[in-house]
Amino acid sequence: YNQSLEIAREIGDQEGIASQLSSLGIYYKEQEMYNEALIKFAEAEAIARELELLDNVSFIQYQIGLIYIIQNKIFIQLGILLI
């Protein structure tokens, strides 16, 4: 993913950058690296909004929501409730 992201940045492909950042977010989410995932999703969302890629924005927000659900479940298991 990082190599594809670098290439997209080199050629100025904003849609490609957003796509690769989103893919990295998914990768980090699957690796349970939630903070890193949220950072990549936030970067991707900013670009997608700028380009008015509303389907991408919706997908990214969905992924962010899943992370928040997962994190809250983890905190609940630890006896911590996030409101």
Side-chain angles (χ1 to χ4, degrees):
Y1 296 114
N2 283 323
Q3 186 176 10
S4 297
L5 178 58
E6 287 179 34
I7 292 169
R9 285 185 170 147
E10 285 176 11
I11 63 173
D13 177 8
Q14 293 298 307
E15 190 170 343
I17 294 169
S19 175
Q20 291 307 313
L21 287 168
S22 184
S23 293
L24 279 168
I26 292 169
Y27 170 78
Y28 286 132
K29 183 184 78 169
E30 290 173 353
Q31 299 301 311
E32 298 181 4
M33 300 170 69
Y34 301 121
N35 290 334
E36 292 86 348
L38 289 171
I39 290 167
K40 296 305 178 191
F41 284 134
E43 293 176 40
E45 183 180 6
I47 295 169
R49 282 185 181 280
E50 184 178 309
L51 298 175
E52 298 181 0
L53 302 171
L54 301 182
D55 287 344
N56 293 34
V57 172
S58 295
F59 175 79
I60 293 165
Q61 289 179 342
Y62 172 76
Q63 294 298 321
I64 291 170
L66 289 177
I67 291 172
Y68 288 146
I69 289 169
I70 291 166
Q71 286 181 321
N72 200 39
K73 285 182 181 178
I74 291 169
F75 288 129
I76 289 171
Q77 288 177 352
L78 296 173
I80 303 168
L81 179 59
L82 297 179
I83 298 174

XYZ file of all heavy atoms in Angstrom:
672
model
N 0.816 -1.201 0.000
C 0.000 0.000 0.000
C 0.858 1.262 0.000
O 0.531 2.237 -0.653
C -0.940 0.021 1.199
C -1.956 -1.091 1.205
C -1.925 -2.075 2.180
C -2.947 -1.161 0.240
C -2.861 -3.092 2.201
C -3.883 -2.161 0.250
C -3.836 -3.134 1.229
O -4.767 -4.133 1.240
N 1.925 1.227 0.774
C 2.765 2.415 0.870
C 3.385 2.784 -0.468
O 3.478 3.960 -0.798
C 3.855 2.224 1.927
C 3.331 2.363 3.332
O 2.461 3.186 3.589
N 3.831 1.561 4.240
N 3.803 1.781 -1.230
C 4.402 2.053 -2.538
C 3.365 2.665 -3.478
O 3.658 3.630 -4.181
C 4.981 0.774 -3.135
C 5.745 1.022 -4.422
C 6.387 -0.251 -4.947
O 6.121 -1.342 -4.474
N 7.240 -0.096 -5.937
N 2.174 2.136 -3.484
C 1.109 2.689 -4.322
C 0.766 4.111 -3.895
O 0.511 4.974 -4.734
C -0.147 1.829 -4.241
O 0.093 0.548 -4.745
N 0.782 4.359 -2.593
C 0.515 5.698 -2.075
C 1.591 6.670 -2.536
O 1.286 7.786 -2.973
C 0.430 5.663 -0.547
C 0.211 6.992 0.158
C -1.068 7.667 -0.323
C 0.184 6.783 1.665
N 2.842 6.248 -2.477
C 3.947 7.099 -2.926
C 3.806 7.443 -4.409
O 4.010 8.591 -4.810
C 5.288 6.407 -2.682
C 5.708 6.366 -1.238
C 7.027 5.649 -1.043
O 7.899 5.736 -1.935
O 7.178 5.002 0.005
N 3.452 6.456 -5.221
C 3.290 6.685 -6.654
C 2.140 7.657 -6.907
O 2.267 8.593 -7.707
C 3.071 5.351 -7.408
C 4.352 4.510 -7.359
C 2.633 5.601 -8.846
C 4.179 3.080 -7.830
N 1.024 7.444 -6.218
C -0.126 8.344 -6.383
C 0.257 9.775 -6.008
O -0.142 10.731 -6.676
C -1.300 7.859 -5.546
N 1.032 9.924 -4.950
C 1.478 11.266 -4.541
C 2.416 11.877 -5.574
O 2.326 13.060 -5.877
C 2.144 11.206 -3.168
C 1.133 11.053 -2.051
C 1.762 11.122 -0.686
N 0.738 11.198 0.343
C 0.837 10.679 1.542
N 1.940 10.051 1.897
N -0.156 10.812 2.409
N 3.310 11.059 -6.112
C 4.265 11.548 -7.108
C 3.572 12.080 -8.354
O 4.002 13.081 -8.920
C 5.253 10.444 -7.493
C 6.298 10.159 -6.444
C 7.196 8.985 -6.810
O 7.153 8.510 -7.976
O 7.938 8.524 -5.925
N 2.511 11.407 -8.771
C 1.835 11.833 -10.001
C 0.659 12.771 -9.732
O -0.011 13.215 -10.662
C 1.382 10.618 -10.849
C 0.346 9.753 -10.105
C 2.589 9.784 -11.269
C -0.246 8.640 -10.950
N 0.413 13.056 -8.456
C -0.653 13.998 -8.107
C -2.057 13.446 -8.262
O -3.005 14.200 -8.463
N -2.197 12.134 -8.150
C -3.501 11.477 -8.285
C -4.228 11.521 -6.946
O -4.081 10.622 -6.110
C -3.297 10.037 -8.753
C -4.582 9.241 -8.863
O -5.683 9.829 -8.726
O -4.487 8.019 -9.081
N -5.005 12.575 -6.712
C -5.673 12.768 -5.428
C -6.650 11.644 -5.106
O -6.735 11.198 -3.966
C -6.382 14.129 -5.404
C -5.437 15.309 -5.424
C -4.536 15.329 -4.203
O -5.001 15.277 -3.076
N -3.232 15.391 -4.432
N -7.386 11.186 -6.108
C -8.328 10.087 -5.877
C -7.567 8.811 -5.495
O -7.979 8.074 -4.608
C -9.198 9.853 -7.103
C -10.347 8.911 -6.846
C -11.357 8.868 -7.990
O -11.357 9.767 -8.840
O -12.149 7.912 -8.001
N -6.450 8.580 -6.153
C -5.612 7.427 -5.824
C -5.028 7.529 -4.426
O -4.941 6.530 -3.703
N -4.643 8.745 -4.031
C -4.122 8.962 -2.679
C -5.197 8.618 -1.657
O -4.939 7.895 -0.691
C -3.634 10.415 -2.508
C -2.412 10.680 -3.400
C -3.312 10.704 -1.041
C -2.018 12.144 -3.504
N -6.400 9.130 -1.868
C -7.498 8.848 -0.943
C -7.773 7.347 -0.872
O -7.982 6.796 0.223
C -8.755 9.604 -1.368
N -7.747 6.693 -2.017
C -8.011 5.254 -2.057
C -6.940 4.474 -1.295
O -7.260 3.563 -0.517
C -8.064 4.787 -3.518
O -8.200 3.392 -3.576
N -5.690 4.825 -1.495
C -4.604 4.108 -0.817
C -4.594 4.383 0.682
O -4.317 3.483 1.478
C -3.257 4.461 -1.444
C -3.084 3.924 -2.847
C -3.361 2.423 -2.928
O -2.879 1.634 -2.119
N -4.162 2.022 -3.895
N -4.895 5.622 1.073
C -4.990 5.930 2.498
C -6.120 5.129 3.143
O -5.967 4.609 4.250
C -5.213 7.426 2.708
C -4.008 8.326 2.445
C -4.434 9.785 2.398
C -2.926 8.109 3.490
N -7.237 5.002 2.433
C -8.356 4.209 2.929
C -7.958 2.738 3.054
O -8.278 2.079 4.047
C -9.551 4.369 1.995
O -10.666 3.689 2.490
N -7.234 2.232 2.063
C -6.765 0.844 2.119
C -5.819 0.631 3.299
O -5.889 -0.403 3.976
C -6.053 0.476 0.815
O -6.962 0.462 -0.257
N -4.946 1.613 3.543
C -4.067 1.515 4.708
C -4.881 1.530 5.999
O -4.555 0.808 6.950
C -3.057 2.659 4.711
C -1.840 2.472 3.817
C -1.065 3.775 3.687
C -0.942 1.369 4.349
N -5.925 2.341 6.031
C -6.797 2.368 7.198
C -7.414 1.008 7.467
O -7.461 0.543 8.609
N -7.866 0.361 6.423
C -8.454 -0.977 6.564
C -7.399 -1.964 7.061
O -7.658 -2.767 7.956
C -9.070 -1.446 5.236
C -10.296 -0.590 4.911
C -9.436 -2.933 5.296
C -10.818 -0.780 3.512
N -6.207 -1.888 6.475
C -5.120 -2.768 6.902
C -4.838 -2.591 8.396
O -4.767 -3.563 9.149
C -3.858 -2.506 6.085
C -2.648 -3.206 6.644
C -2.458 -4.568 6.416
C -1.721 -2.523 7.421
C -1.357 -5.230 6.953
C -0.628 -3.175 7.953
C -0.445 -4.525 7.720
O 0.634 -5.172 8.257
N -4.677 -1.337 8.816
C -4.389 -1.078 10.228
C -5.541 -1.532 11.125
O -5.311 -2.060 12.217
C -4.085 0.397 10.462
C -2.730 0.834 9.956
C -2.591 1.970 9.180
C -1.582 0.119 10.269
C -1.346 2.379 8.716
C -0.339 0.515 9.807
C -0.220 1.649 9.039
O 1.008 2.045 8.593
N -6.777 -1.346 10.657
C -7.933 -1.802 11.438
C -7.877 -3.314 11.626
O -8.080 -3.823 12.726
C -9.244 -1.400 10.760
C -10.484 -1.770 11.562
C -11.756 -1.455 10.814
C -11.951 -2.534 9.798
N -13.224 -2.572 9.137
N -7.566 -4.028 10.558
C -7.492 -5.489 10.634
C -6.356 -5.954 11.533
O -6.420 -7.032 12.112
C -7.343 -6.079 9.228
C -8.602 -5.930 8.399
C -8.435 -6.341 6.952
O -7.288 -6.628 6.523
O -9.440 -6.365 6.230
N -5.302 -5.138 11.650
C -4.170 -5.459 12.512
C -4.396 -4.984 13.950
O -3.508 -5.070 14.786
C -2.888 -4.834 11.959
C -2.503 -5.320 10.581
C -2.297 -6.818 10.538
O -1.594 -7.377 11.377
N -2.912 -7.491 9.572
N -5.601 -4.433 14.201
C -5.984 -3.887 15.504
C -5.103 -2.713 15.922
O -4.876 -2.463 17.104
C -6.002 -4.984 16.579
C -7.014 -6.071 16.274
C -7.073 -7.160 17.321
O -6.385 -7.058 18.358
O -7.813 -8.134 17.088
N -4.632 -1.973 14.927
C -3.854 -0.751 15.149
C -4.804 0.423 14.906
O -4.722 1.115 13.901
C -2.648 -0.739 14.205
C -1.709 -1.925 14.397
S -0.452 -2.072 13.103
C 0.559 -0.660 13.450
N -5.730 0.587 15.847
C -6.865 1.474 15.626
C -6.486 2.946 15.497
O -7.067 3.660 14.679
C -7.914 1.261 16.716
C -8.407 -0.170 16.748
C -8.266 -0.946 17.892
C -8.981 -0.755 15.628
C -8.703 -2.259 17.914
C -9.415 -2.061 15.635
C -9.271 -2.818 16.784
O -9.697 -4.115 16.798
N -5.539 3.420 16.285
C -5.157 4.829 16.173
C -4.552 5.137 14.805
O -4.863 6.162 14.198
C -4.191 5.220 17.290
C -4.862 5.263 18.644
O -6.069 5.468 18.727
N -4.096 5.055 19.691
N -3.696 4.245 14.315
C -3.113 4.426 12.990
C -4.198 4.396 11.920
O -4.167 5.174 10.972
C -2.038 3.361 12.705
C -0.800 3.493 13.542
C -0.897 2.799 14.901
O -2.019 2.385 15.308
O 0.138 2.689 15.571
N -5.150 3.486 12.089
C -6.257 3.382 11.135
C -7.060 4.676 11.098
O -7.379 5.189 10.019
C -7.166 2.205 11.486
N -7.357 5.215 12.267
C -8.134 6.452 12.331
C -7.403 7.607 11.673
O -8.021 8.438 10.988
C -8.476 6.787 13.785
C -9.504 5.865 14.435
C -9.596 6.151 15.933
C -10.864 5.998 13.772
N -6.092 7.657 11.825
C -5.301 8.713 11.183
C -5.406 8.600 9.663
O -5.636 9.590 8.964
C -3.835 8.650 11.651
C -3.739 9.071 13.125
C -2.937 9.518 10.769
C -2.402 8.760 13.777
N -5.222 7.398 9.138
C -5.290 7.201 7.678
C -6.689 7.487 7.145
O -6.849 8.103 6.094
C -4.857 5.777 7.299
C -3.414 5.470 7.617
C -2.471 6.474 6.990
C -1.037 6.183 7.363
N -0.129 7.251 6.993
N -7.716 7.042 7.889
C -9.081 7.319 7.455
C -9.372 8.819 7.464
O -10.049 9.316 6.567
C -10.097 6.564 8.321
C -10.199 5.100 8.010
C -10.199 4.158 9.023
C -10.322 4.641 6.698
C -10.314 2.802 8.751
C -10.432 3.298 6.403
C -10.424 2.372 7.439
N -8.855 9.527 8.449
C -9.080 10.981 8.507
C -8.423 11.677 7.317
O -9.018 12.575 6.700
C -8.542 11.546 9.822
N -7.215 11.255 6.976
C -6.529 11.822 5.810
C -7.311 11.519 4.535
O -7.497 12.393 3.682
C -5.112 11.269 5.697
C -4.171 11.704 6.800
C -2.814 11.037 6.672
O -2.309 10.888 5.546
O -2.253 10.650 7.712
N -7.754 10.280 4.402
C -8.510 9.870 3.218
C -9.826 10.625 3.119
O -10.218 11.068 2.029
C -8.765 8.359 3.252
N -10.498 10.794 4.248
C -11.784 11.481 4.250
C -11.633 12.934 3.821
O -12.454 13.451 3.052
C -12.443 11.412 5.622
C -13.812 12.057 5.644
C -14.484 12.001 6.990
O -13.867 11.569 7.980
O -15.660 12.398 7.045
N -10.584 13.590 4.285
C -10.365 14.998 3.920
C -10.210 15.147 2.410
O -10.800 16.046 1.791
C -9.146 15.543 4.646
N -9.461 14.254 1.805
C -9.259 14.307 0.352
C -10.553 13.968 -0.373
O -10.929 14.637 -1.343
C -8.116 13.369 -0.075
C -6.781 13.866 0.506
C -8.026 13.273 -1.604
C -5.643 12.877 0.376
N -11.237 12.924 0.091
C -12.490 12.509 -0.549
C -13.535 13.630 -0.489
O -14.257 13.862 -1.459
C -13.025 11.234 0.110
N -13.595 14.330 0.632
C -14.531 15.462 0.743
C -14.157 16.569 -0.237
O -15.029 17.143 -0.890
C -14.541 16.018 2.163
C -15.321 15.207 3.134
C -15.382 15.892 4.500
N -16.116 15.086 5.441
C -17.435 15.028 5.511
N -18.176 15.726 4.678
N -18.031 14.259 6.406
N -12.868 16.858 -0.318
C -12.391 17.899 -1.231
C -12.758 17.575 -2.668
O -13.123 18.460 -3.445
C -10.880 18.041 -1.082
C -10.268 19.150 -1.897
C -8.774 19.259 -1.670
O -8.348 19.313 -0.501
O -8.040 19.278 -2.666
N -12.672 16.292 -3.021
C -12.976 15.851 -4.382
C -14.459 15.530 -4.576
O -14.873 15.142 -5.660
C -12.142 14.619 -4.738
C -10.629 14.805 -4.737
C -9.931 13.479 -4.997
C -10.199 15.845 -5.768
N -15.236 15.679 -3.502
C -16.664 15.383 -3.508
C -16.959 13.934 -3.901
O -17.907 13.645 -4.632
C -17.427 16.370 -4.394
C -17.305 17.805 -3.912
C -18.074 18.806 -4.751
O -18.724 18.410 -5.740
O -18.025 19.994 -4.400
N -16.151 13.028 -3.390
C -16.342 11.595 -3.610
C -17.204 11.060 -2.463
O -16.713 10.465 -1.500
C -14.992 10.876 -3.659
C -14.010 11.365 -4.722
C -12.646 10.727 -4.527
C -14.555 11.058 -6.112
N -18.490 11.319 -2.563
C -19.389 11.070 -1.443
C -19.505 9.593 -1.079
O -19.668 9.258 0.100
C -20.755 11.677 -1.726
C -20.744 13.199 -1.972
C -22.150 13.707 -2.204
C -20.067 13.930 -0.828
N -19.420 8.698 -2.057
C -19.439 7.270 -1.747
C -18.229 6.903 -0.896
O -18.341 6.132 0.056
C -19.457 6.422 -3.019
C -20.788 6.457 -3.739
O -21.793 6.876 -3.118
O -20.832 6.063 -4.915
N -17.080 7.471 -1.243
C -15.860 7.203 -0.485
C -15.985 7.758 0.933
O -15.576 7.104 1.896
C -14.641 7.814 -1.176
C -14.330 7.155 -2.489
O -15.220 6.729 -3.209
N -13.066 7.090 -2.843
N -16.525 8.981 1.049
C -16.711 9.590 2.365
C -17.599 8.700 3.225
O -17.285 8.427 4.396
C -17.296 11.011 2.249
C -17.676 11.557 3.619
C -16.313 11.954 1.559
N -18.677 8.207 2.669
C -19.596 7.331 3.416
C -18.900 6.057 3.863
O -19.039 5.625 5.013
C -20.806 6.971 2.562
O -21.563 8.107 2.275
N -18.137 5.454 2.955
C -17.407 4.221 3.284
C -16.410 4.472 4.407
O -16.306 3.686 5.353
C -16.690 3.685 2.047
C -15.821 2.499 2.336
C -16.374 1.239 2.474
C -14.446 2.644 2.488
C -15.575 0.139 2.756
C -13.638 1.559 2.769
C -14.204 0.297 2.910
N -15.685 5.570 4.319
C -14.676 5.899 5.332
C -15.347 6.143 6.680
O -14.875 5.649 7.711
C -13.841 7.116 4.879
C -12.986 6.744 3.656
C -12.981 7.644 6.026
C -12.410 7.930 2.916
N -16.439 6.881 6.683
C -17.142 7.136 7.940
C -17.674 5.836 8.545
O -17.663 5.667 9.770
C -18.276 8.134 7.732
C -17.760 9.535 7.473
C -18.870 10.532 7.236
O -20.007 10.166 6.938
N -18.540 11.795 7.349
N -18.108 4.929 7.715
C -18.552 3.620 8.180
C -17.397 2.883 8.868
O -17.564 2.315 9.946
C -19.102 2.806 7.003
C -19.419 1.374 7.331
C -20.560 1.047 8.058
C -18.584 0.350 6.918
C -20.856 -0.278 8.359
C -18.867 -0.972 7.213
C -19.999 -1.274 7.934
O -20.286 -2.581 8.231
N -16.228 2.911 8.236
C -15.053 2.243 8.802
C -14.660 2.873 10.140
O -14.324 2.169 11.094
C -13.876 2.297 7.819
C -14.090 1.511 6.554
C -14.276 0.029 6.803
O -13.618 -0.565 7.657
N -15.178 -0.593 6.065
N -14.717 4.194 10.216
C -14.413 4.890 11.467
C -15.409 4.474 12.544
O -15.032 4.200 13.691
C -14.418 6.417 11.251
C -13.213 6.824 10.383
C -14.406 7.164 12.584
C -13.249 8.255 9.902
N -16.679 4.390 12.177
C -17.707 3.949 13.117
C -17.451 2.547 13.638
O -17.616 2.277 14.830
N -17.019 1.655 12.749
C -16.701 0.289 13.179
C -15.573 0.285 14.202
O -15.617 -0.463 15.188
C -16.305 -0.573 11.974
C -17.413 -0.952 11.008
C -16.840 -1.742 9.837
C -18.503 -1.746 11.706
N -14.576 1.123 13.971
C -13.461 1.192 14.925
C -13.956 1.667 16.281
O -13.590 1.106 17.317
C -12.338 2.104 14.397
C -11.653 1.439 13.201
C -11.322 2.410 15.505
C -10.670 2.329 12.478
N -14.801 2.686 16.286
C -15.336 3.182 17.554
C -16.158 2.107 18.266
O -16.081 1.973 19.487
C -16.163 4.439 17.345
C -15.343 5.656 17.010
C -15.839 6.623 16.163
C -14.071 5.850 17.537
C -15.098 7.761 15.845
C -13.324 6.970 17.228
C -13.845 7.927 16.391
O -13.108 9.033 16.083
N -16.923 1.330 17.510
C -17.688 0.231 18.110
C -16.742 -0.803 18.705
O -16.929 -1.251 19.840
C -18.632 -0.407 17.069
C -19.767 0.551 16.736
C -19.164 -1.762 17.575
C -20.596 0.132 15.534
N -15.729 -1.186 17.955
C -14.756 -2.174 18.436
C -14.060 -1.663 19.689
O -13.933 -2.386 20.679
C -13.718 -2.487 17.332
C -14.374 -3.249 16.187
C -12.546 -3.284 17.911
C -13.534 -3.311 14.929
N -13.613 -0.408 19.651
C -12.910 0.147 20.807
C -13.813 0.193 22.030
O -13.374 -0.114 23.137
C -12.389 1.543 20.498
C -11.187 1.542 19.577
C -10.671 2.935 19.299
O -11.442 3.869 19.140
N -9.365 3.062 19.237
N -15.065 0.558 21.846
C -15.976 0.619 22.977
C -16.213 -0.765 23.567
O -16.275 -0.932 24.779
C -17.304 1.278 22.587
C -18.059 1.776 23.801
O -17.464 2.293 24.738
N -19.360 1.606 23.786
N -16.307 -1.788 22.712
C -16.477 -3.148 23.203
C -15.261 -3.577 24.019
O -15.388 -4.244 25.039
C -16.710 -4.118 22.049
C -18.085 -4.032 21.458
C -18.284 -5.038 20.348
C -19.674 -4.916 19.751
N -19.875 -5.847 18.642
N -14.085 -3.177 23.568
C -12.871 -3.515 24.306
C -12.886 -2.831 25.666
O -12.592 -3.444 26.688
C -11.613 -3.115 23.497
C -11.477 -4.020 22.269
C -10.359 -3.193 24.371
C -10.435 -3.553 21.270
N -13.251 -1.555 25.688
C -13.294 -0.824 26.948
C -14.346 -1.405 27.893
O -14.122 -1.486 29.101
C -13.554 0.662 26.715
C -12.376 1.383 26.118
C -12.535 2.170 24.995
C -11.110 1.280 26.679
C -11.457 2.842 24.447
C -10.033 1.944 26.143
C -10.194 2.728 25.015
N -15.480 -1.812 27.349
C -16.533 -2.410 28.178
C -16.009 -3.701 28.817
O -16.222 -3.961 30.000
C -17.822 -2.645 27.368
C -18.501 -1.304 27.052
C -18.777 -3.568 28.122
C -19.648 -1.411 26.086
N -15.272 -4.506 28.045
C -14.704 -5.734 28.583
C -13.704 -5.441 29.701
O -13.533 -6.223 30.618
C -14.020 -6.547 27.490
C -14.996 -7.201 26.540
C -14.309 -7.942 25.408
O -13.104 -7.846 25.245
N -15.088 -8.663 24.627
N -13.053 -4.284 29.605
C -12.106 -3.877 30.641
C -12.795 -3.168 31.802
O -12.146 -2.749 32.759
C -11.029 -2.962 30.047
C -10.119 -3.576 28.998
C -9.219 -2.518 28.372
C -9.292 -4.692 29.612
N -14.095 -3.001 31.704
C -14.847 -2.341 32.759
C -14.858 -0.833 32.649
O -15.177 -0.133 33.591
N -14.519 -0.323 31.458
C -14.519 1.122 31.224
C -15.627 1.422 30.228
O -15.679 0.833 29.154
C -13.162 1.579 30.639
C -12.022 1.193 31.565
C -13.168 3.083 30.384
C -10.648 1.338 30.935
N -16.510 2.341 30.548
C -17.609 2.693 29.647
C -17.344 4.076 29.060
O -17.166 5.039 29.782
C -18.949 2.700 30.376
C -20.168 3.068 29.550
C -20.325 2.103 28.369
C -21.423 3.061 30.392
N -17.275 4.136 27.736
C -17.120 5.417 27.049
C -18.494 5.922 26.658
O -19.295 5.188 26.114
C -16.265 5.263 25.788
C -14.825 4.831 25.988
C -14.142 4.718 24.645
C -14.082 5.794 26.889
N -18.744 7.149 26.945
C -20.042 7.744 26.592
C -19.826 8.817 25.568
O -18.925 9.552 25.566
C -20.745 8.295 27.845
C -21.014 7.170 28.825
C -22.023 9.020 27.464
C -21.577 7.608 30.146
